[in-house]
């Protein structure tokens, strides 16, 4: 039976309907991105971690019996945790496709899920195994049996020791006492339970820990803090921005609170992004009232497209109930999610790889395709800054999609089209792109409607939103010291951001010598502040897709 062969008009219409433009006969132009130094690159440990792609978070503790998100110590340990089934947790992780698991070993209330020597407020005071149980030990064995990496969340905040956000205490004496407690807890976790591949210091930490991590878990990924090797996305919705750059400025990384909004392809620190979201969003712990919050399969697929499909890591939280098991409704949803992703992306129609700027897939005849997956070899740095996808049918070519970054993985739906060939052209790059995978898929199902939608992210140095055109930003309240400031126009668009006319007004008087564009950057301004107590207003003309403005000193 001969394959259906659409006319040129039908093919052009299909390309346009898929969101592309019918660029037939267009000359391909390649842009070499200006670069004055070598690209930042991941460590081998960071690279291996990014290859894991999907992990499971586990929140379980006194809160589960209190129907609360934060432990108020209202129920004694003797009345909680009669049983725990870590094998079932790991089975659920494998079913959803997770390759690592991060256990909340201690949340902000201070209850420890292992028999620590630092406090009686721990698993040893519960009925489980007559007080001889150890959740971390059981979980380590369960993970090892299924080849699942093990990570731990050790909250710096601890209400049992009056340690506030980041582990900060009220007096030097209290701080010294808590520093010793926290360091012992961390030492126990890093030395008693086999290799720890990820450590969560949620909210950063004022307790010195770098020496312990360096000694006992040098390859562990550290979430937040001044010695972080990975960073938070900036929301708890499950969505990363696009593009989601892996590197950022060292000054932003040093804060310990950098998010995906700080991503900068020309940055000098490699700090990949982890996206965390709960299966019972927004609740992190099980309760008798939050089953109705269980994410649907469609919602989970959208999260996957907007996290892993944008080059980020996805850490999906599950909430064991009072039986010590993940509820069957939740476990079933995890299996459905894992099966759906495998069904979509396990079998490509065709794929190729190489070190060049143009890649072509020849299907050997008309084939229906609807998705493209692109991956970049990050070991050589994040080189790609722009790409275009074109479909060909018997020598006629049309654009079906374009983007900016690729990163670890880019899932790019292109609409349902029939083509004989598919071409990827890297239009902007630093050096020669390393592409280990360019693959086409016939999934036979549409992508999530908002697969390409922008997201709102948190960052402590956002000063304004911006749209293309003329804008005016009052920076007065954001300037607290004399010195140089860096303003960056961040976008979630494939369009390049450019600043045009720039004017700085100090007490309404123009100061042309105090602001300029950064060398080699179209999206960064450098501003000098000589005195405080004056109004500071920036006026600028900006081209691009719109986004947010970040400011930081230095």
């Amino acid at each position: 039976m001969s394959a259906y062969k659409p006319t040129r008009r039908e093919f052009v219409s299909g390309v346009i309907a898929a969101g592309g433009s019918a660029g037939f006969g267009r000359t391909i132009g390649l842009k070499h991105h200006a670069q004055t130094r070598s690209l930042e690159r991941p460590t081998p440990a960071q690279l291996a971690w990014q290859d894991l792609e999907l992990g499971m978070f586990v929140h379980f503790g006194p809160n589960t019996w209190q129907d609360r998100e934060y432990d108020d110590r209202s129920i004694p340990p003797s009345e909680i945790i009669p049983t725990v089934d870590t094998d079932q947790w790991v089975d659920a992780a494998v079913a959803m496709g997770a390759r690592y698991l991060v256990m909340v070993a201690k949340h902000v209330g201070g209850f420890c899920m292992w028999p620590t020597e630092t406090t009686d407020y721990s698993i040893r005071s519960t009925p489980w195994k007559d007080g001889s149980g150890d959740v971390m030990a059981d979980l380590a064995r369960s993970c090892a049996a299924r080849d699942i990496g093990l990570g731990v969340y050790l909250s710096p905040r601890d209400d049992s020791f009056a340690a506030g956000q980041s582990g900060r205490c009220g007096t030097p004496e209290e701080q010294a006492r808590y520093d010793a407690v926290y360091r012992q807890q961390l030492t126990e976790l890093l030395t008693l339970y086999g290799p720890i591949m990820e450590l969560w210091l949620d909210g950063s930490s004022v307790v010195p820990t770098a020496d312990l991590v360096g000694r006992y878990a040098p390859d562990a990924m550290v979430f937040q803090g001044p010695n972080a090797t990975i960073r938070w996305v900036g929301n708890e919705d499950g969505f990363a921005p696009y593009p989601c750059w892996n590197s950022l400025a060292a000054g932003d990384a040093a804060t310990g609170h950098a998010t995906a909004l700080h991503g900068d392809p020309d940055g000098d620190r490699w700090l990949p992004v982890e996206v965390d979201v709960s299966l019972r969003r927004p609740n992190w712990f099980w309760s008798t009232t939050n089953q109705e919050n269980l994410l649907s399969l469609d919602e989970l697929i959208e999260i996957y497209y907007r996290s892993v499909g944008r080059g980020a890591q996805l850490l999906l939280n599950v909430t064991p109930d009072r039986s010590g098991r993940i509820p069957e409704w939740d476990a079933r949803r995890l299996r459905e999610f894992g099966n759906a992703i495998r069904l979509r992306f396990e079998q490509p129609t065709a794929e190729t790889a190489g070190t060049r700027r143009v890649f072509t897939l020849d299907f050997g005849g008309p084939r229906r395709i609807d998705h493209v997956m692109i991956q970049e070899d990050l070991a050589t740095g994040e080189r790609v800054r722009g790409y275009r996808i074109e479909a060909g049918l018997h020598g006629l070519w049309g654009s079906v999609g374009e983007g900016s970054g690729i990163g670890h993985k880019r899932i790019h739906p292109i609409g349902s089209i029939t083509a004989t060939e598919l071409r990827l052209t890297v239009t902007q790059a630093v050096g020669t792109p390393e592409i280990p995978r360019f693959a086409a898929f016939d999934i036979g199902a549409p992508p999530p409607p908002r697969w390409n939608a922008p997201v709102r992210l948190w960052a402590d140095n956002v000063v304004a939103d911006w749209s293309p055109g003329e804008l005016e930003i009052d920076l007065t309240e954001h300037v607290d010291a004399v010195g140089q400031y860096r303003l960056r126009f961040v976008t979630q668009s494939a369009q390049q951001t450019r600043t045009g006319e720039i004017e700085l007004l100090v007490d309404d008087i123009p100061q042309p010598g105090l602001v300029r564009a950064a060398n080699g950057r179209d999206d960064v301004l450098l501003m000098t502040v000589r005195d405080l107590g004056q109004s500071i207003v920036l006026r600028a003309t900006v081209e691009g897709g719109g986004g947010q403005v970040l400011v930081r000193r230095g």
Side-chain angles (χ1 to χ4, degrees):
M1 188 174 89
S2 61
Y4 169 67
K5 180 178 177 182
T7 66
R8 181 183 192 279
R9 181 188 295 266
E10 289 172 324
F11 180 65
V12 172
S13 299
V15 168
I16 293 174
S21 60
F24 294 92
R26 180 171 51 188
T27 300
I28 298 172
L30 304 181
K31 179 177 178 181
H32 293 263
H33 188 88
Q35 185 76 21
T36 57
R37 59 170 184 80
S38 61
L39 285 174
E40 187 66 11
R41 301 182 182 190
T43 65
Q46 286 175 317
L47 197 62
W49 178 82
Q50 289 186 263
D51 283 340
L52 300 177
E53 293 190 350
L54 180 61
M56 176 186 281
F57 220 174
V58 179
H59 280 66
F60 178 63
N63 320 45
T64 307
W65 278 260
Q66 299 164 5
D67 270 1
R68 293 174 55 88
E69 285 293 288
Y70 294 93
D71 176 13
D72 64 359
R73 300 180 66 117
S74 59
I75 300 178
S78 59
E79 298 179 19
I80 65 173
I81 311 185
T83 182
V84 179
D85 188 350
T86 59
D87 284 341
Q88 190 250 1
W89 300 358
V90 174
D91 287 345
V94 172
M96 81 174 212
R99 299 174 65 189
Y100 67 104
L101 186 153
V102 177
M103 177 67 199
V104 177
K106 182 186 78 169
H107 203 245
V108 299
F111 184 87
C112 296
M113 301 301 290
W114 77 102
T116 177
E117 297 296 326
T118 61
T119 177
D120 290 332
Y121 194 50
S122 76
I123 196 70
R124 75 163 74 239
S125 299
T126 72
W128 185 45
K129 295 185 178 180
D130 296 324
S132 61
D134 185 339
V135 174
M136 288 302 304
D138 276 21
L139 185 57
R141 284 192 291 269
S142 298
C143 285
R146 302 300 300 273
D147 196 25
I148 296 293
L150 177 62
V152 294
Y153 174 119
L154 184 66
S155 172
R157 173 182 161 186
D158 189 325
D159 296 346
S160 296
F161 286 91
Q165 182 70 13
S166 304
R168 186 171 283 105
C169 299
T171 68
E173 294 76 18
E174 291 173 339
Q175 190 68 60
R177 174 174 175 253
Y178 182 64
D179 285 357
V181 167
Y182 190 84
R183 284 175 59 83
Q184 182 175 338
Q185 290 177 347
L186 181 58
T187 299
E188 291 172 357
L189 290 171
L190 297 183
T191 59
L192 297 177
Y193 303 108
I196 298 298
M197 49 75 62
E198 183 169 330
L199 170 64
W200 262 60
L201 303 176
D202 199 9
S204 190
S205 177
V206 299
V207 179
T209 58
D211 61 322
L212 299 178
V213 176
R215 185 182 311 161
Y216 300 121
D219 292 331
M221 294 296 99
V222 179
F223 179 94
Q224 295 198 331
N227 304 111
T229 55
I230 58 177
R231 71 189 193 273
W232 182 45
V233 66
N235 63 47
E236 294 181 346
D237 301 321
F239 305 141
Y242 180 77
C244 187
W245 303 113
N246 285 286
S247 55
L248 73 169
D252 290 329
T255 67
H257 295 283
T259 70
L261 200 56
H262 296 97
D264 183 345
D266 296 320
D268 41 19
R269 278 288 305 279
W270 191 274
L271 220 62
V273 170
E274 187 167 54
V275 175
D276 60 320
V277 63
S278 184
L279 186 61
R280 295 193 175 199
R281 186 173 59 186
N283 302 120
W284 294 95
F285 287 87
W286 180 91
S287 80
T288 57
T289 62
N290 64 16
Q291 181 175 319
E292 63 184 20
N293 296 346
L294 187 68
L295 293 175
S296 68
L297 177 58
D298 286 344
E299 288 174 314
L300 287 171
I301 292 173
E302 178 183 0
I303 285 170
Y304 185 85
Y305 273 69
R306 298 175 69 183
S307 57
V308 175
R310 294 180 173 184
Q313 204 91 344
L314 175 58
L315 186 62
L316 180 62
N317 180 66
V318 300
T319 58
D321 61 20
R322 294 172 188 174
S323 70
R325 293 171 57 87
I326 298 169
E328 181 51 37
W329 281 103
D330 302 49
R332 184 183 307 164
R333 186 58 41 81
L334 295 175
R335 290 195 298 271
E336 293 171 348
F337 173 49
N339 289 336
I341 297 304
R342 285 187 285 270
L343 185 63
R344 285 178 178 238
F345 298 113
E346 270 193 346
Q347 295 296 327
T349 300
E351 63 180 292
T352 189
T355 304
R356 52 188 185 275
R357 288 178 175 268
V358 180
F359 300 80
T360 302
L361 296 173
D362 187 342
F363 304 135
R367 294 292 299 270
R368 194 180 77 88
I369 53 173
D370 50 28
H371 281 67
V372 166
M373 181 184 292
I374 319 170
Q375 292 187 264
E376 188 172 1
D377 183 359
L378 298 180
T380 60
E382 203 160 14
R383 298 184 175 188
V384 177
R385 308 297 166 83
Y387 68 85
R388 182 169 62 249
I389 306 167
E390 295 166 294
L393 184 63
H394 303 300
L396 300 176
W397 290 89
S399 175
V400 293
E402 60 181 11
S404 49
I406 292 176
H408 181 267
K409 177 174 286 185
R410 174 62 169 156
I411 296 174
H412 195 136
I414 58 173
S416 181
I417 64 172
T418 299
T420 51
E421 295 178 277
L422 201 67
R423 182 166 63 202
L424 169 68
T425 301
V426 176
T427 56
Q428 298 180 41
V430 180
T432 304
E434 302 266 359
I435 305 297
R437 193 180 201 201
F438 168 46
F441 294 82
D442 176 16
I443 288 173
R450 291 174 52 81
W451 73 270
N452 207 27
V455 300
R456 189 73 182 178
L457 299 174
W458 175 91
D460 58 5
N461 58 345
V462 173
V463 297
D465 294 329
W466 69 274
S467 299
E470 298 179 357
L471 56 140
E472 181 174 296
I473 305 172
D474 189 337
L475 298 168
T476 307
E477 65 178 88
H478 303 286
V479 172
D480 57 5
V482 172
Q484 189 174 78
Y485 289 78
R486 179 180 183 267
L487 288 91
R488 181 160 169 257
F489 292 81
V490 177
T491 185
Q492 292 184 46
S493 168
Q495 294 178 261
Q496 190 172 5
T497 302
R498 297 181 183 276
T499 53
E501 298 180 10
I502 308 166
E503 184 178 44
L504 190 70
L505 289 84
V506 178
D507 280 348
D508 297 323
I509 300 174
Q511 302 287 339
L514 298 185
V515 64
R516 64 177 177 83
N519 292 335
R521 297 298 299 266
D522 296 317
D523 59 344
V524 175
L525 301 179
L526 301 180
M527 177 182 71
T528 301
V529 174
R530 292 178 175 171
D531 297 292
L532 300 179
Q534 301 170 304
S535 69
I536 300 176
V537 175
L538 175 74
R539 291 175 180 167
T541 301
V542 186
E543 300 175 4
Q548 293 168 280
V549 183
L550 306 182
V551 63
R552 69 170 174 84
R553 189 179 170 203

